Amino acid sequence: MKPLNYALLKHFTTVPEACAADVMEVLRAEYSEFKAFKKDSIIAALMTAEANGLLEETRFDLDKNNELRVYYRAHEEGAATINHYIK
Amino acid sequence: MSGVAASADFAAITAKAKLSTAFRKKGILIALASGLLYGFYTAFMTLAMSKGAYVDWYGANTAGLSAFAVTYLVGALGAATTDTCSAIFALSIASARGRMGDFFRTIKTRPGHVMIVAAIFGGPIASTAYVIGLQKAGSIVVPISALCPAIGAILGQFIFKQALNARMLLGIAICFAASVMIAWSSLTGEAPEGMAIGILFGFIAAIGWGFEGCVCGYGTSMIDYEIGITIRQVTSGLSNLIILVPIFTLMSGDGISAFDMVTQSFANGESIIWFIVAGGCAYLTFMFWYRGTGMCGAALGMSCNGTFSFWGPFCCWIILGVVFGQEGWEMPPIAWLAAVVMIIGIFIIAMNPLDLLKKKELQPHETA
């Protein structure tokens, strides 16, 4: 089992793009018991990864509950870095 | 329908702008808080080292410690006691917040190993170099060590391709100038013997902290910051206590027992209470440093943290001078002026001042 943040980043190397809700849905089965498995924490982790160039924003919109969804992707260099450090 | 779509788009753009602005503001505030807490950490550690067994070691010295032991061993012991208290805080908080499982999983991984190496650079190596530099060259080492934001930012650009333009370099230079102003008042007098070697150690400290801030700030983009700081404090506490203190004990050649020295530092009720407070501040300042640098990038995050060169003397004045009545901690007027200069430097790193003028020019069109 990987640390939560590793699993979060690794997911982006397997999909074209994803938002926080998408990632949480995928990781829910394995990580839902983690205290850090909260939407705010996940969003902060994604924004920190973006600030450090691991991920880049692709688009944003509002979901059916009028909540903001920001989508990110791991560009080629970001994906290479993630795969280099996280096995 | 197009009106509804446009309204939804506008709401999304507004929400996104609000989220980005809030994240950036939070990052800057956290990074600035790290500088302030570094001041309290310094003040409480200094306070602890003026009580208990330290009174004798630095004063009458009935234990018969050599000059080397008083300078290096006692200094390292104070840092080791603070860092160990801080590591206990970090482990307790990580445990209470359900991070221990990920802590053990993370330290086995490559980013975890990198974090440990960076913590050794910033903990025992940089801190010890700083102490030696101060002993050899005096307070000129303070502005030299305050080069760490510049070094961290430059390393961040080369290692992690983080943006660093001419404006940010100007801001870093202004912050450094402010640090020089703070140290200026104590730069008078003849150069002490060993000035060159002291300055060299000051550079080693700056490189160590610059490397640590840059690498560990980036590391929090992969490692949860609460886990990152637990790795840092445990590494620093253990390496100081188990490696550095025994090495200095052997080097002192006094035949003293490292175990006895450590026991006296931890078991004295007068000083340990302040070491615990200092350890709490150390936990917070380094956690905020890592988190703020992760959120803002190396240049801005480390420059905000660089305000420690003002908060250090300021908190020592408040805690040691005003609250505990110790003499010699007053702040010279130039330090207050330097604080303003530092704020200007950070502001220039954070944003282009010309953008404010542009926004003002745009306002009439926006309202029209």
Side-chain angles (χ1 to χ4, degrees):
Chain A
M1 185 185 197
K2 291 183 179 62
L4 172 59
N5 268 26
Y6 288 11
L8 184 75
L9 292 171
K10 203 71 175 172
H11 177 67
F12 282 90
T13 65
T14 63
V15 293
E17 66 168 12
C19 65
D22 294 341
V23 187
M24 289 184 78
E25 196 53 43
V26 172
L27 301 182
R28 190 172 304 281
E30 206 173 1
Y31 292 94
S32 61
E33 298 301 315
F34 278 49
K35 285 188 179 176
F37 195 72
K38 295 188 178 78
K39 197 172 182 183
D40 286 351
S41 301
I42 303 288
I43 289 171
L46 295 180
M47 293 181 80
T48 302
E50 189 205 6
N52 287 278
L54 290 178
L55 303 178
E56 68 181 4
E57 186 187 313
T58 53
R59 64 191 171 93
F60 58 87
D61 61 16
L62 297 177
D63 65 13
K64 61 185 177 185
N65 298 319
N66 272 338
E67 284 190 28
L68 180 68
R69 291 185 300 200
V70 183
Y71 287 82
Y72 300 92
R73 75 179 188 103
H75 47 74
E76 196 175 334
E77 199 176 339
T81 305
I82 293 167
N83 286 328
H84 176 71
Y85 284 103
I86 303 170
K87 300 298 177 191
Chain B
M1 284 297 287
S2 61
V4 174
S7 172
D9 282 349
F10 181 74
I13 290 166
T14 306
K16 175 65 177 53
K18 193 176 166 187
L19 178 71
S20 299
T21 305
F23 185 77
R24 186 170 171 79
K25 275 185 185 169
K26 189 175 178 181
I28 291 172
L29 285 174
I30 286 171
L32 286 171
S34 76
L36 171 63
L37 282 157
Y38 192 94
F40 281 110
Y41 147 63
T42 306
F44 284 118
M45 184 168 68
T46 308
L47 179 64
M49 291 174 73
S50 69
K51 295 186 179 295
Y54 290 85
V55 175
D56 178 60
W57 291 334
Y58 280 130
N61 192 14
T62 56
L65 301 179
S66 64
F68 176 90
V70 171
T71 303
Y72 302 114
L73 172 59
V74 177
L77 186 62
T81 310
T82 308
D83 281 358
T84 305
C85 292
S86 180
I88 293 167
F89 268 108
L91 286 167
S92 306
I93 292 167
S95 182
R97 289 175 57 81
R99 274 17 180 216
M100 286 307 286
D102 264 3
F103 168 72
F104 287 114
R105 279 186 279 271
T106 303
I107 55 175
K108 298 174 193 163
T109 64
R110 184 178 287 187
H113 296 160
V114 171
M115 194 73 100
I116 289 169
V117 171
I120 290 172
F121 268 86
I125 293 178
S127 298
T128 307
Y130 183 62
V131 172
I132 295 171
L134 280 172
Q135 294 298 324
K136 292 283 183 187
S139 59
I140 194 171
V141 170
V142 176
I144 290 168
S145 72
L147 276 172
C148 67
I151 290 169
I154 292 163
L155 288 174
Q157 190 189 36
F158 281 107
I159 302 174
F160 304 123
K161 310 282 188 294
Q162 293 183 334
L164 187 63
N165 53 33
R167 173 175 55 79
M168 294 165 98
L169 282 171
L170 173 67
I172 290 168
I174 291 171
C175 288
F176 174 65
S179 297
V180 174
M181 288 169 71
I182 290 170
W184 193 256
S185 56
S186 50
L187 289 180
T188 53
E190 290 181 12
E193 196 180 337
M195 169 76 95
I197 194 84
I199 288 174
L200 176 67
F201 276 107
F203 273 118
I204 292 171
I207 291 167
W209 284 330
F211 179 74
E212 184 195 8
C214 158
V215 170
C216 293
Y218 185 79
T220 57
S221 65
M222 292 188 191
I223 299 173
D224 181 304
Y225 65 89
E226 291 187 36
I227 295 165
I229 191 60
T230 306
I231 293 173
R232 196 270 182 200
Q233 297 307 76
V234 170
T235 303
S236 185
L238 286 179
S239 55
N240 269 331
L241 202 61
I242 296 173
I243 301 170
L244 200 62
V245 170
I247 286 175
F248 279 159
T249 307
L250 285 174
M251 286 172 69
S252 72
D254 292 351
I256 46 176
S257 157
F259 183 77
D260 284 349
M261 294 286 285
V262 169
T263 304
Q264 287 185 68
S265 185
F266 276 92
N268 191 291
E270 274 184 77
S271 59
I272 193 64
I273 186 75
W274 298 114
F275 277 123
I276 291 169
V277 176
C281 293
Y283 167 77
L284 289 174
T285 186
F286 287 110
M287 181 183 71
F288 286 171
W289 183 28
Y290 282 16
R291 193 180 181 199
T293 303
M295 291 171 81
C296 299
L300 180 55
M302 291 194 63
S303 294
C304 289
N305 172 264
T307 54
F308 76 77
S309 60
F310 169 75
W311 291 120
F314 180 83
C315 292
C316 284
W317 168 53
I318 295 292
I319 302 294
L320 300 168
V322 176
V323 178
F324 283 88
Q326 295 182 9
E327 289 182 6
W329 293 104
E330 293 77 15
M331 289 270 287
I334 194 169
W336 295 99
L337 180 63
V340 177
V341 173
M342 195 172 275
I343 290 166
I344 293 168
I346 291 168
F347 179 72
I348 289 174
I349 298 168
M351 65 176 296
N352 187 343
L354 295 176
D355 287 346
L356 291 176
L357 298 174
K358 283 178 192 166
K359 276 185 183 172
K360 278 189 176 177
E361 284 169 9
L362 283 172
Q363 265 180 347
H365 302 289
E366 286 167 354
T367 51

